[in-house]
Amino acid sequence: MRIDVLTIFPDLFTGFLATSIPANAIEQGALSCHVHDIRAHAANKHRKVDDRPFGGGPGMVMMCQPIFDAVKAAESQDSSVPAVRVLLTPQGERLTQPRVEWLAQQPRLMLLCGHYEGIDERVIEELSPLEISIGDYVLSGGELGAMVLIDAVARLQPGVLGHEESAAEDSFSVRSTDGAHLLDCPHYTRPREWNGREVPDILLSGDHAAVDRWRDAQRIERTRVRRPDLLRNSPLAHPQPLPAANTNKPAAQVARATRSTAPSHDDGDGLHGQTAPEGA
Ligand code: ADE
């Protein structure tokens, strides 16, 4: 997939795109990212891209022409691939995992980062982007939102995450059988005891079916306690019994998830298919 970013702060993306998952995705060829400076399209020698608001009021408003020209120039760099235009704004649709999954399947995204008090409404009407907010708070610009979105879609590109970090088991990717999005279960690694705290026995049992049941029950319980809003209209909103090892309680059956489960191999130490960390 190709992502174009339009910003007045292109340098902000340098470290971000050179690190971790976005960097892996780019290195593997699953993602290409092109950052464009909106100021390069300013029609004045001071490279000014904003002006005072008509009607008065505080702050400055980003002007139509530099933004429109920047979008057109970026799009013409590869006109064979149509871009989904996205404006990062606190007034947009709140970003959710289903939306991330949809965006991750598009061949090309054009991310527009606003600044100052906003963008002249006429260029938004002209470009008719999908408007996305990363949360109900106001940032000083859309750049952090663009990075959040890039990271979220990069990790869903085929081959970017290894088997052991499969995106299918993330919070919000696992669903109960009635379709509710669930939070992730707790995770543990070596040592078995740390600071007087033990790893739950069931994870050391080697009984994969029991471990799966326990994890599903944990997902439901966490979601019920922490994010009951995700279970609205779901029977899982009511407390479910947590299964112990080698039992098959109804809650675990209700919670059978729709994720794909890749086969894991067990070395008998409860660390399925993973290299043991130092100091175990
Ligand atoms: N720009 C400013 N605040 C924002 C937010 N919450 N989400 C996306 N873009 C923004």
mmCIF file of all heavy atoms in Angstrom, residues 195-232:
data_model
loop_
_atom_site.group_PDB
_atom_site.id
_atom_site.type_symbol
_atom_site.label_atom_id
_atom_site.label_comp_id
_atom_site.label_asym_id
_atom_site.label_seq_id
_atom_site.Cartn_x
_atom_site.Cartn_y
_atom_site.Cartn_z
ATOM 1 N N ASN A 195 8.697 -11.097 41.946
ATOM 2 C CA ASN A 195 8.251 -10.202 43.014
ATOM 3 C C ASN A 195 7.095 -10.817 43.811
ATOM 4 O O ASN A 195 6.159 -10.127 44.194
ATOM 5 C CB ASN A 195 7.771 -8.885 42.387
ATOM 6 C CG ASN A 195 8.444 -7.694 43.023
ATOM 7 O OD1 ASN A 195 9.370 -7.864 43.815
ATOM 8 N ND2 ASN A 195 7.983 -6.505 42.681
ATOM 9 N N GLY A 196 7.133 -12.132 43.985
ATOM 10 C CA GLY A 196 6.073 -12.811 44.730
ATOM 11 C C GLY A 196 4.819 -13.068 43.915
ATOM 12 O O GLY A 196 3.833 -13.589 44.423
ATOM 13 N N ARG A 197 4.837 -12.717 42.637
ATOM 14 C CA ARG A 197 3.654 -12.910 41.784
ATOM 15 C C ARG A 197 3.908 -14.076 40.843
ATOM 16 O O ARG A 197 4.931 -14.112 40.158
ATOM 17 C CB ARG A 197 3.382 -11.656 40.956
ATOM 18 C CG ARG A 197 3.010 -10.462 41.776
ATOM 19 C CD ARG A 197 2.951 -9.215 40.904
ATOM 20 N NE ARG A 197 2.711 -8.056 41.737
ATOM 21 C CZ ARG A 197 1.501 -7.642 42.098
ATOM 22 N NH1 ARG A 197 0.432 -8.265 41.653
ATOM 23 N NH2 ARG A 197 1.369 -6.594 42.872
ATOM 24 N N GLU A 198 2.927 -14.991 40.785
ATOM 25 C CA GLU A 198 3.077 -16.198 39.978
ATOM 26 C C GLU A 198 2.301 -16.086 38.679
ATOM 27 O O GLU A 198 1.272 -15.417 38.614
ATOM 28 C CB GLU A 198 2.542 -17.393 40.761
ATOM 29 C CG GLU A 198 3.219 -17.542 42.105
ATOM 30 C CD GLU A 198 3.561 -18.967 42.412
ATOM 31 O OE1 GLU A 198 2.922 -19.851 41.825
ATOM 32 O OE2 GLU A 198 4.477 -19.179 43.231
ATOM 33 N N VAL A 199 2.789 -16.783 37.678
ATOM 34 C CA VAL A 199 2.045 -16.923 36.416
ATOM 35 C C VAL A 199 0.877 -17.875 36.687
ATOM 36 O O VAL A 199 1.050 -18.869 37.387
ATOM 37 C CB VAL A 199 2.986 -17.506 35.331
ATOM 38 C CG1 VAL A 199 2.220 -17.858 34.076
ATOM 39 C CG2 VAL A 199 4.117 -16.533 35.033
ATOM 40 N N PRO A 200 -0.333 -17.580 36.174
ATOM 41 C CA PRO A 200 -1.447 -18.505 36.384
ATOM 42 C C PRO A 200 -1.082 -19.930 35.949
ATOM 43 O O PRO A 200 -0.534 -20.135 34.858
ATOM 44 C CB PRO A 200 -2.561 -17.929 35.502
ATOM 45 C CG PRO A 200 -2.238 -16.478 35.411
ATOM 46 C CD PRO A 200 -0.731 -16.386 35.420
ATOM 47 N N ASP A 201 -1.388 -20.900 36.818
ATOM 48 C CA ASP A 201 -1.017 -22.305 36.586
ATOM 49 C C ASP A 201 -1.448 -22.797 35.208
ATOM 50 O O ASP A 201 -0.739 -23.550 34.556
ATOM 51 C CB ASP A 201 -1.679 -23.209 37.645
ATOM 52 C CG ASP A 201 -0.943 -23.115 38.965
ATOM 53 O OD1 ASP A 201 0.208 -22.619 38.951
ATOM 54 O OD2 ASP A 201 -1.535 -23.517 39.985
ATOM 55 N N ILE A 202 -2.613 -22.384 34.806
ATOM 56 C CA ILE A 202 -3.191 -22.936 33.574
ATOM 57 C C ILE A 202 -2.277 -22.687 32.364
ATOM 58 O O ILE A 202 -2.215 -23.489 31.440
ATOM 59 C CB ILE A 202 -4.605 -22.355 33.352
ATOM 60 C CG1 ILE A 202 -5.347 -23.203 32.328
ATOM 61 C CG2 ILE A 202 -4.570 -20.904 32.949
ATOM 62 C CD1 ILE A 202 -6.831 -22.945 32.315
ATOM 63 N N LEU A 203 -1.521 -21.582 32.404
ATOM 64 C CA LEU A 203 -0.653 -21.254 31.269
ATOM 65 C C LEU A 203 0.569 -22.157 31.221
ATOM 66 O O LEU A 203 1.288 -22.200 30.225
ATOM 67 C CB LEU A 203 -0.224 -19.777 31.331
ATOM 68 C CG LEU A 203 -1.376 -18.772 31.266
ATOM 69 C CD1 LEU A 203 -0.850 -17.345 31.359
ATOM 70 C CD2 LEU A 203 -2.177 -18.948 29.973
ATOM 71 N N LEU A 204 0.837 -22.862 32.320
ATOM 72 C CA LEU A 204 1.981 -23.771 32.377
ATOM 73 C C LEU A 204 1.548 -25.215 32.185
ATOM 74 O O LEU A 204 2.365 -26.129 32.209
ATOM 75 C CB LEU A 204 2.688 -23.636 33.742
ATOM 76 C CG LEU A 204 3.009 -22.203 34.174
ATOM 77 C CD1 LEU A 204 3.490 -22.165 35.620
ATOM 78 C CD2 LEU A 204 4.066 -21.599 33.257
ATOM 79 N N SER A 205 0.241 -25.420 31.970
ATOM 80 C CA SER A 205 -0.305 -26.786 31.981
ATOM 81 C C SER A 205 -0.014 -27.543 30.689
ATOM 82 O O SER A 205 -0.068 -28.762 30.665
ATOM 83 C CB SER A 205 -1.818 -26.728 32.185
ATOM 84 O OG SER A 205 -2.436 -26.151 31.029
ATOM 85 N N GLY A 206 0.246 -26.829 29.608
ATOM 86 C CA GLY A 206 0.436 -27.499 28.318
ATOM 87 C C GLY A 206 -0.876 -27.927 27.680
ATOM 88 O O GLY A 206 -0.881 -28.500 26.601
ATOM 89 N N ASP A 207 -1.999 -27.636 28.313
ATOM 90 C CA ASP A 207 -3.323 -28.013 27.784
ATOM 91 C C ASP A 207 -3.828 -26.844 26.927
ATOM 92 O O ASP A 207 -4.404 -25.882 27.430
ATOM 93 C CB ASP A 207 -4.253 -28.300 28.971
ATOM 94 C CG ASP A 207 -5.647 -28.727 28.521
ATOM 95 O OD1 ASP A 207 -6.001 -28.491 27.347
ATOM 96 O OD2 ASP A 207 -6.382 -29.274 29.359
ATOM 97 N N HIS A 208 -3.588 -26.926 25.618
ATOM 98 C CA HIS A 208 -3.877 -25.783 24.732
ATOM 99 C C HIS A 208 -5.347 -25.392 24.737
ATOM 100 O O HIS A 208 -5.679 -24.211 24.703
ATOM 101 C CB HIS A 208 -3.456 -26.109 23.297
ATOM 102 C CG HIS A 208 -1.987 -26.362 23.173
ATOM 103 N ND1 HIS A 208 -1.050 -25.442 23.545
ATOM 104 C CD2 HIS A 208 -1.315 -27.449 22.741
ATOM 105 C CE1 HIS A 208 0.155 -25.949 23.337
ATOM 106 N NE2 HIS A 208 0.020 -27.172 22.853
ATOM 107 N N ALA A 209 -6.218 -26.400 24.782
ATOM 108 C CA ALA A 209 -7.659 -26.100 24.759
ATOM 109 C C ALA A 209 -8.053 -25.359 26.032
ATOM 110 O O ALA A 209 -8.816 -24.381 25.988
ATOM 111 C CB ALA A 209 -8.467 -27.388 24.610
ATOM 112 N N ALA A 210 -7.491 -25.796 27.164
ATOM 113 C CA ALA A 210 -7.815 -25.127 28.433
ATOM 114 C C ALA A 210 -7.253 -23.709 28.439
ATOM 115 O O ALA A 210 -7.899 -22.774 28.938
ATOM 116 C CB ALA A 210 -7.258 -25.941 29.598
ATOM 117 N N VAL A 211 -6.058 -23.543 27.883
ATOM 118 C CA VAL A 211 -5.464 -22.196 27.809
ATOM 119 C C VAL A 211 -6.342 -21.287 26.951
ATOM 120 O O VAL A 211 -6.637 -20.145 27.308
ATOM 121 C CB VAL A 211 -4.021 -22.266 27.249
ATOM 122 C CG1 VAL A 211 -3.507 -20.877 26.894
ATOM 123 C CG2 VAL A 211 -3.087 -22.939 28.251
ATOM 124 N N ASP A 212 -6.804 -21.814 25.810
ATOM 125 C CA ASP A 212 -7.677 -21.015 24.933
ATOM 126 C C ASP A 212 -8.958 -20.615 25.666
ATOM 127 O O ASP A 212 -9.417 -19.470 25.562
ATOM 128 C CB ASP A 212 -8.043 -21.798 23.667
ATOM 129 C CG ASP A 212 -6.894 -21.803 22.660
ATOM 130 O OD1 ASP A 212 -5.922 -21.049 22.871
ATOM 131 O OD2 ASP A 212 -6.981 -22.561 21.675
ATOM 132 N N ARG A 213 -9.517 -21.559 26.396
ATOM 133 C CA ARG A 213 -10.760 -21.247 27.134
ATOM 134 C C ARG A 213 -10.497 -20.177 28.187
ATOM 135 O O ARG A 213 -11.275 -19.239 28.346
ATOM 136 C CB ARG A 213 -11.317 -22.510 27.812
ATOM 137 C CG ARG A 213 -11.966 -23.486 26.874
ATOM 138 C CD ARG A 213 -12.817 -24.481 27.649
ATOM 139 N NE ARG A 213 -12.048 -25.294 28.585
ATOM 140 C CZ ARG A 213 -11.417 -26.426 28.266
ATOM 141 N NH1 ARG A 213 -11.474 -26.886 27.026
ATOM 142 N NH2 ARG A 213 -10.743 -27.094 29.178
ATOM 143 N N TRP A 214 -9.381 -20.307 28.894
ATOM 144 C CA TRP A 214 -9.043 -19.327 29.932
ATOM 145 C C TRP A 214 -8.846 -17.940 29.312
ATOM 146 O O TRP A 214 -9.342 -16.936 29.817
ATOM 147 C CB TRP A 214 -7.768 -19.789 30.650
ATOM 148 C CG TRP A 214 -7.324 -18.886 31.757
ATOM 149 C CD1 TRP A 214 -7.746 -18.899 33.050
ATOM 150 C CD2 TRP A 214 -6.370 -17.812 31.657
ATOM 151 N NE1 TRP A 214 -7.115 -17.910 33.762
ATOM 152 C CE2 TRP A 214 -6.268 -17.230 32.943
ATOM 153 C CE3 TRP A 214 -5.600 -17.290 30.620
ATOM 154 C CZ2 TRP A 214 -5.426 -16.155 33.205
ATOM 155 C CZ3 TRP A 214 -4.760 -16.215 30.878
ATOM 156 C CH2 TRP A 214 -4.673 -15.664 32.155
ATOM 157 N N ARG A 215 -8.130 -17.904 28.201
ATOM 158 C CA ARG A 215 -7.879 -16.596 27.564
ATOM 159 C C ARG A 215 -9.182 -15.957 27.097
ATOM 160 O O ARG A 215 -9.387 -14.750 27.252
ATOM 161 C CB ARG A 215 -6.917 -16.757 26.381
ATOM 162 C CG ARG A 215 -5.500 -16.991 26.856
ATOM 163 C CD ARG A 215 -4.528 -17.112 25.708
ATOM 164 N NE ARG A 215 -3.164 -17.113 26.205
ATOM 165 C CZ ARG A 215 -2.142 -17.679 25.591
ATOM 166 N NH1 ARG A 215 -2.330 -18.307 24.427
ATOM 167 N NH2 ARG A 215 -0.941 -17.628 26.112
ATOM 168 N N ASP A 216 -10.057 -16.766 26.500
ATOM 169 C CA ASP A 216 -11.336 -16.203 26.053
ATOM 170 C C ASP A 216 -12.136 -15.654 27.229
ATOM 171 O O ASP A 216 -12.731 -14.577 27.140
ATOM 172 C CB ASP A 216 -12.152 -17.269 25.301
ATOM 173 C CG ASP A 216 -11.619 -17.481 23.880
ATOM 174 O OD1 ASP A 216 -10.896 -16.593 23.377
ATOM 175 O OD2 ASP A 216 -11.922 -18.523 23.279
ATOM 176 N N ALA A 217 -12.143 -16.396 28.328
ATOM 177 C CA ALA A 217 -12.890 -15.932 29.503
ATOM 178 C C ALA A 217 -12.277 -14.653 30.061
ATOM 179 O O ALA A 217 -12.986 -13.736 30.488
ATOM 180 C CB ALA A 217 -12.917 -17.028 30.562
ATOM 181 N N GLN A 218 -10.940 -14.561 30.034
ATOM 182 C CA GLN A 218 -10.265 -13.340 30.486
ATOM 183 C C GLN A 218 -10.614 -12.151 29.585
ATOM 184 O O GLN A 218 -10.809 -11.030 30.064
ATOM 185 C CB GLN A 218 -8.747 -13.544 30.490
ATOM 186 C CG GLN A 218 -8.260 -14.516 31.543
ATOM 187 C CD GLN A 218 -8.333 -13.940 32.948
ATOM 188 O OE1 GLN A 218 -8.132 -12.750 33.140
ATOM 189 N NE2 GLN A 218 -8.654 -14.787 33.911
ATOM 190 N N ARG A 219 -10.661 -12.417 28.288
ATOM 191 C CA ARG A 219 -11.017 -11.333 27.354
ATOM 192 C C ARG A 219 -12.403 -10.783 27.679
ATOM 193 O O ARG A 219 -12.626 -9.573 27.690
ATOM 194 C CB ARG A 219 -10.999 -11.850 25.908
ATOM 195 C CG ARG A 219 -9.621 -12.140 25.385
ATOM 196 C CD ARG A 219 -9.667 -12.552 23.908
ATOM 197 N NE ARG A 219 -8.328 -12.777 23.429
ATOM 198 C CZ ARG A 219 -7.781 -13.987 23.248
ATOM 199 N NH1 ARG A 219 -8.499 -15.084 23.453
ATOM 200 N NH2 ARG A 219 -6.530 -14.093 22.846
ATOM 201 N N ILE A 220 -13.316 -11.696 27.911
ATOM 202 C CA ILE A 220 -14.695 -11.277 28.202
ATOM 203 C C ILE A 220 -14.743 -10.509 29.522
ATOM 204 O O ILE A 220 -15.349 -9.434 29.603
ATOM 205 C CB ILE A 220 -15.632 -12.500 28.273
ATOM 206 C CG1 ILE A 220 -15.735 -13.148 26.896
ATOM 207 C CG2 ILE A 220 -17.007 -12.101 28.782
ATOM 208 C CD1 ILE A 220 -16.399 -14.506 26.911
ATOM 209 N N GLU A 221 -14.073 -11.033 30.538
ATOM 210 C CA GLU A 221 -14.146 -10.404 31.847
ATOM 211 C C GLU A 221 -13.504 -9.005 31.816
ATOM 212 O O GLU A 221 -14.058 -8.044 32.345
ATOM 213 C CB GLU A 221 -13.462 -11.311 32.887
ATOM 214 C CG GLU A 221 -13.537 -10.821 34.308
ATOM 215 C CD GLU A 221 -14.967 -10.646 34.835
ATOM 216 O OE1 GLU A 221 -15.927 -11.072 34.144
ATOM 217 O OE2 GLU A 221 -15.117 -10.054 35.914
ATOM 218 N N ARG A 222 -12.362 -8.903 31.173
ATOM 219 C CA ARG A 222 -11.706 -7.593 31.067
ATOM 220 C C ARG A 222 -12.598 -6.596 30.346
ATOM 221 O O ARG A 222 -12.687 -5.428 30.711
ATOM 222 C CB ARG A 222 -10.414 -7.698 30.248
ATOM 223 C CG ARG A 222 -9.291 -8.254 31.012
ATOM 224 C CD ARG A 222 -7.994 -7.793 30.426
ATOM 225 N NE ARG A 222 -7.028 -7.880 31.489
ATOM 226 C CZ ARG A 222 -5.758 -7.564 31.360
ATOM 227 N NH1 ARG A 222 -5.302 -7.130 30.201
ATOM 228 N NH2 ARG A 222 -4.942 -7.663 32.374
ATOM 229 N N THR A 223 -13.208 -7.062 29.267
ATOM 230 C CA THR A 223 -14.048 -6.162 28.475
ATOM 231 C C THR A 223 -15.265 -5.736 29.307
ATOM 232 O O THR A 223 -15.656 -4.564 29.299
ATOM 233 C CB THR A 223 -14.499 -6.850 27.178
ATOM 234 O OG1 THR A 223 -13.353 -7.419 26.540
ATOM 235 C CG2 THR A 223 -15.161 -5.866 26.236
ATOM 236 N N ARG A 224 -15.837 -6.697 30.039
ATOM 237 C CA ARG A 224 -17.015 -6.408 30.855
ATOM 238 C C ARG A 224 -16.683 -5.353 31.926
ATOM 239 O O ARG A 224 -17.445 -4.427 32.151
ATOM 240 C CB ARG A 224 -17.492 -7.704 31.514
ATOM 241 C CG ARG A 224 -18.914 -7.666 32.041
ATOM 242 C CD ARG A 224 -19.256 -8.979 32.696
ATOM 243 N NE ARG A 224 -18.427 -9.230 33.858
ATOM 244 C CZ ARG A 224 -18.531 -8.607 35.024
ATOM 245 N NH1 ARG A 224 -19.455 -7.690 35.184
ATOM 246 N NH2 ARG A 224 -17.718 -8.881 36.018
ATOM 247 N N VAL A 225 -15.506 -5.495 32.545
ATOM 248 C CA VAL A 225 -15.143 -4.589 33.640
ATOM 249 C C VAL A 225 -14.644 -3.242 33.107
ATOM 250 O O VAL A 225 -15.027 -2.187 33.594
ATOM 251 C CB VAL A 225 -14.061 -5.248 34.532
ATOM 252 C CG1 VAL A 225 -13.503 -4.261 35.543
ATOM 253 C CG2 VAL A 225 -14.646 -6.472 35.231
ATOM 254 N N ARG A 226 -13.775 -3.300 32.072
ATOM 255 C CA ARG A 226 -13.110 -2.067 31.642
ATOM 256 C C ARG A 226 -13.857 -1.304 30.561
ATOM 257 O O ARG A 226 -13.776 -0.090 30.476
ATOM 258 C CB ARG A 226 -11.704 -2.384 31.117
ATOM 259 C CG ARG A 226 -10.839 -3.019 32.162
ATOM 260 C CD ARG A 226 -9.465 -3.304 31.618
ATOM 261 N NE ARG A 226 -8.677 -4.044 32.584
ATOM 262 C CZ ARG A 226 -7.364 -4.171 32.528
ATOM 263 N NH1 ARG A 226 -6.690 -3.617 31.528
ATOM 264 N NH2 ARG A 226 -6.733 -4.859 33.443
ATOM 265 N N ARG A 227 -14.491 -2.049 29.663
ATOM 266 C CA ARG A 227 -15.169 -1.401 28.540
ATOM 267 C C ARG A 227 -16.559 -2.000 28.318
ATOM 268 O O ARG A 227 -16.829 -2.574 27.260
ATOM 269 C CB ARG A 227 -14.325 -1.542 27.264
ATOM 270 C CG ARG A 227 -13.007 -0.786 27.273
ATOM 271 C CD ARG A 227 -13.226 0.734 27.221
ATOM 272 N NE ARG A 227 -14.058 1.115 26.091
ATOM 273 C CZ ARG A 227 -13.608 1.325 24.864
ATOM 274 N NH1 ARG A 227 -12.344 1.205 24.600
ATOM 275 N NH2 ARG A 227 -14.435 1.654 23.889
ATOM 276 N N PRO A 228 -17.445 -1.833 29.289
ATOM 277 C CA PRO A 228 -18.784 -2.428 29.124
ATOM 278 C C PRO A 228 -19.499 -1.898 27.884
ATOM 279 O O PRO A 228 -20.367 -2.580 27.335
ATOM 280 C CB PRO A 228 -19.512 -2.041 30.421
ATOM 281 C CG PRO A 228 -18.683 -0.982 31.068
ATOM 282 C CD PRO A 228 -17.277 -1.166 30.587
ATOM 283 N N ASP A 229 -19.102 -0.711 27.428
ATOM 284 C CA ASP A 229 -19.744 -0.155 26.223
ATOM 285 C C ASP A 229 -19.560 -1.068 25.013
ATOM 286 O O ASP A 229 -20.402 -1.115 24.122
ATOM 287 C CB ASP A 229 -19.181 1.245 25.913
ATOM 288 C CG ASP A 229 -17.663 1.242 25.774
ATOM 289 O OD1 ASP A 229 -16.966 0.830 26.739
ATOM 290 O OD2 ASP A 229 -17.159 1.632 24.708
ATOM 291 N N LEU A 230 -18.441 -1.839 24.986
ATOM 292 C CA LEU A 230 -18.199 -2.722 23.830
ATOM 293 C C LEU A 230 -19.151 -3.911 23.823
ATOM 294 O O LEU A 230 -19.311 -4.580 22.810
ATOM 295 C CB LEU A 230 -16.753 -3.245 23.845
ATOM 296 C CG LEU A 230 -15.646 -2.205 23.662
ATOM 297 C CD1 LEU A 230 -14.285 -2.857 23.845
ATOM 298 C CD2 LEU A 230 -15.737 -1.542 22.292
ATOM 299 N N LEU A 231 -19.755 -4.189 24.975
ATOM 300 C CA LEU A 231 -20.628 -5.369 25.093
ATOM 301 C C LEU A 231 -22.106 -4.995 25.083
ATOM 302 O O LEU A 231 -22.950 -5.836 25.349
ATOM 303 C CB LEU A 231 -20.306 -6.136 26.380
ATOM 304 C CG LEU A 231 -18.902 -6.715 26.471
ATOM 305 C CD1 LEU A 231 -18.702 -7.406 27.805
ATOM 306 C CD2 LEU A 231 -18.647 -7.687 25.330
ATOM 307 N N ARG A 232 -22.377 -3.729 24.773
ATOM 308 C CA ARG A 232 -23.781 -3.324 24.721
ATOM 309 C C ARG A 232 -24.523 -4.266 23.774
ATOM 310 O O ARG A 232 -24.011 -4.627 22.724
ATOM 311 C CB ARG A 232 -23.882 -1.874 24.219
ATOM 312 C CG ARG A 232 -24.998 -1.102 24.901
ATOM 313 C CD ARG A 232 -24.960 0.349 24.475
ATOM 314 N NE ARG A 232 -23.904 1.097 25.139
ATOM 315 C CZ ARG A 232 -23.118 1.969 24.530
ATOM 316 N NH1 ARG A 232 -23.220 2.189 23.238
ATOM 317 N NH2 ARG A 232 -22.201 2.621 25.205
#
